[in-house]
Amino acid sequence: MAARDPEATKARIFEAAVAEFARHGIAGARIDRIAAEAKANKQLIYAYFGNKAELFAIVLEKKMLHVAEDVPVDPDDIESWIDRVMDYHAAHPELLRLLFWEGLEYGSAELPLESARQEHYARKVAALQDAQDRGVVTEAIPAGDLLFLLTALANWTAVVPQMRRILVGEGETDRDRLRASVKEAARRLTAR
Amino acid sequence: MAARDPEATKARIFEAAVAEFARHGIAGARIDRIAAEAKANKQLIYAYFGNKAELFAIVLEKKMLHVAEDVPVDPDDIESWIDRVMDYHAAHPELLRLLFWEGLEYGSAELPLESARQEHYARKVAALQDAQDRGVVTEAIPAGDLLFLLTALANWTAVVPQMRRILVGEGETDRDRLRASVKEAARRLTAR
DNA sequence: CTCTAGCAACTAACTGGTTGGTTGGCTGGT
DNA sequence: ACCAGCCAACCAACCAGTTAGTTGCTAGAG
C-alpha cells in the first residue's frame, strides 16, 4: 500500500460514508465517524466530496447506478426480475436505507443530482411501457404507476421490519412464503 | 385561558413534538424547536416527558392508539378500505413517518408496546382470513402476507415521496390516477 | 543518476455555533 | 405562607466546516 494513494483514500471514505449514512441517516451521520472509519483526515472528505449533503447525494447516486446495472427491469419475466431485485437488496441492504433516509429527510423537494435520477427511472418506465405496447403486460395500470407499485411490493419489507416480523414472521420458511406471495402479487399486477 | 395550566402546556408540547419528530426524526428533532413551537420552556419538556428518546416513545405510542379505531379492515369492500386508509394517512401524515423513523433509527428490535401491536394486526388478519374462508377473497396469498402487501401499496408513497414525484408526478390529476392504480392493484391482489 | 522545486496528499488544531440537559430562582394560585 | 408551575441563564459536549502548515511523490534541470 502506497503512502499516498488518493484513489484508495477516496474509496475508503466512500465506503465508510455508505455505512454511516445507511445506519444513521443524514442528520444522524457524523463526519468525524466517517473519517475515523475510513482512517482518513476529516478535511479530505471536504476536499474530495464537498459537504455532508453532497457526500450523501454522491453516495446514493453511485449506489443507484450500481443497482440499475445489476438489476435491469425485465417486463417479459416479472417473477425472475422480482427475485433478482429482492436478492440484490438482501445482499446490499444499504441502498434501500439510503433511499428511505432521503425520502424522509428531503421529502418531495428537488434533489441534488436530480436529472440522473429522472433518467434512471425513465429507462425503467420505458421498458415497462414497451411491454405494454407489445401486449405482454396489462395496460390497466399506467407504466409509471406500475413500476412504483411493483417497487412497493418488493421493498416494503425493508421499510417496516417490525410490521413484517409481527405479520409475516422472520423464519426461513416465512421469508420464502413471503417471497412467493410477492411474486404472486407482482404476477397479478401485471397480468393482462 | 388560565395563566397556569399544566394540562394545556403538556398538550402543546405533545403536539409540537409530534410535528417535530414526524418532520425530522429522532436524531434530527430539536428540543429547542419543540419548546419554541409549543411556546413552553425547554425544561418543562424534561419535567413532563423525561428525555428526547422517551418523548419520542410516548408520542409514537399515543399516536398508534388512534389508527386501529379509525380505519378497520373491510375485506368485503377492499377498494373503499384502501380509500379510507389513504385518506387517513393523507390527513394524518405524521403517524406513518413516526413509524418509519422508528424502523430506521431503532431497527427491528423489540417494541415497547409489542403485544398491543400484535393484537392490532391479528384483528386485521382475522378479518381477511374470514373473507378468504367465505370465498370473497383469494386464498392464493396467505392472509398475513396479503395484509402486508396491501399496506405496502397504500403507504409506499409516504416512504419515497421523491420516487413518487419523479415516477408518478405530483399534480392533482397524478394523485387521482395513482389512487385509481392503487385500488386497481388492490383489487387484483384480492380477486379470486 | 542526483538534486531540488513544485504541487498534491495529508494532518492537527481550531472556529463559530449548536445541542441535550440542568440549576436556582421567580410567580401566581390557594 | 406555601408550593407547584414556570422561566432565563447556563454548561459541557458536540459538530460541520476551515485554516495553516507538513509530508511525500515526481518531473525536470544539471
Side-chain angles (χ1 to χ4, degrees):
Chain A
M1 189 176 129
R4 300 279 174 108
D5 189 340
E7 285 312 308
T9 304
K10 246 186 238 190
R12 285 202 316 278
I13 292 173
F14 183 88
E15 287 309 319
V18 168
E20 178 72 9
F21 280 126
R23 194 165 304 147
H24 301 287
I26 304 168
R30 296 293 168 250
I31 296 287
D32 285 319
R33 271 203 298 257
I34 294 174
E37 172 75 20
K39 290 181 192 354
N41 190 273
K42 199 174 160 181
Q43 194 275 336
L44 294 177
I45 295 173
Y46 290 93
Y48 292 142
F49 296 99
N51 60 21
K52 197 185 187 180
E54 284 180 63
L55 176 57
F56 178 83
I58 291 166
V59 158
L60 178 52
E61 217 47 57
K62 252 196 178 170
K63 287 284 169 184
M64 290 289 283
L65 208 72
H66 187 245
V67 74
E69 289 167 3
D70 270 29
V71 195
V73 180
D74 180 3
D76 294 296
D77 189 352
I78 293 290
E79 283 187 64
S80 86
W81 174 56
I82 291 284
D83 260 331
R84 276 179 291 120
V85 167
M86 293 183 79
D87 283 340
Y88 182 91
H89 290 306
H92 309 91
E94 331 84 42
L95 174 62
L96 278 180
R97 287 182 62 88
L98 292 173
L99 202 66
F100 300 154
W101 287 118
E102 181 189 59
L104 285 174
E105 300 200 41
Y106 283 133
S108 57
E110 181 157 344
L111 309 169
L113 309 176
E114 168 103 13
S115 60
R117 194 70 62 88
Q118 285 174 352
E119 221 173 289
H120 168 86
Y121 286 131
R123 202 167 301 123
K124 298 192 172 198
V125 171
L128 270 177
Q129 181 73 62
D130 176 64
Q132 288 181 323
D133 293 343
R134 296 196 333 267
V136 179
V137 166
T138 182
E139 288 181 295
I141 301 175
D145 294 3
L146 193 53
L147 177 59
F148 187 72
L149 295 176
L150 289 171
T151 310
L153 294 175
N155 299 334
W156 185 241
T157 297
V159 192
V160 278
Q162 349 67 307
M163 180 176 178
R164 179 223 148 99
R165 198 189 70 239
I166 295 172
L167 217 42
V168 178
E170 47 184 354
E172 186 107 354
T173 321
D174 299 317
R175 194 180 53 191
D176 291 346
R177 178 173 37 75
L178 177 63
R179 181 176 288 220
S181 295
V182 171
K183 288 198 278 188
E184 170 67 19
R187 195 183 312 133
R188 283 161 172 259
L189 280 211
T190 53
R192 294 202 61 202
Chain B
M1 187 176 131
R4 298 283 173 104
D5 190 339
E7 285 312 308
T9 306
K10 246 185 235 193
R12 286 202 315 280
I13 292 173
F14 183 89
E15 287 309 318
V18 168
E20 178 72 9
F21 280 125
R23 194 165 306 146
H24 301 287
I26 304 167
R30 296 291 168 249
I31 296 287
D32 286 320
R33 273 203 297 257
I34 295 174
E37 173 71 22
K39 291 185 198 337
N41 189 272
K42 205 172 148 181
Q43 192 275 335
L44 294 178
I45 294 171
Y46 291 93
Y48 292 142
F49 296 98
N51 61 22
K52 197 185 185 181
E54 283 181 64
L55 176 57
F56 178 82
I58 291 166
V59 158
L60 179 55
E61 181 184 323
K62 257 197 177 168
K63 280 288 167 183
M64 286 296 284
L65 293 179
H66 285 260
V67 205
E69 303 153 3
D70 278 23
V71 195
V73 183
D74 180 3
D76 294 296
D77 189 352
I78 294 290
E79 284 187 63
S80 86
W81 173 56
I82 291 283
D83 261 331
R84 276 179 292 120
V85 168
M86 294 183 79
D87 283 340
Y88 181 90
H89 290 305
H92 309 92
E94 331 84 42
L95 175 66
L96 277 181
R97 289 180 61 87
L98 291 173
L99 210 63
F100 300 154
W101 288 118
E102 181 195 51
L104 283 173
E105 300 201 41
Y106 287 150
S108 60
E110 86 278 5
L111 303 171
L113 208 66
E114 177 95 13
S115 61
R117 233 175 267 194
Q118 280 175 355
E119 214 173 300
H120 166 230
Y121 287 132
R123 201 169 301 122
K124 298 193 173 195
V125 171
L128 270 176
Q129 181 74 62
D130 176 64
Q132 288 181 323
D133 293 343
R134 297 198 330 269
V136 178
V137 166
T138 180
E139 289 182 295
I141 301 175
D145 294 3
L146 193 54
L147 176 59
F148 187 72
L149 295 176
L150 288 171
T151 310
L153 294 175
N155 297 335
W156 185 240
T157 297
V159 192
V160 281
Q162 80 277 43
M163 181 189 291
R164 178 225 148 97
R165 179 169 54 76
I166 296 172
L167 218 41
V168 178
E170 49 183 352
E172 187 109 354
T173 322
D174 299 317
R175 194 180 51 191
D176 292 345
R177 178 172 38 74
L178 177 63
R179 180 175 289 221
S181 295
V182 170
K183 286 198 279 188
E184 169 66 19
R187 196 182 311 132
R188 282 161 172 259
L189 280 210
T190 52
R192 295 205 60 201

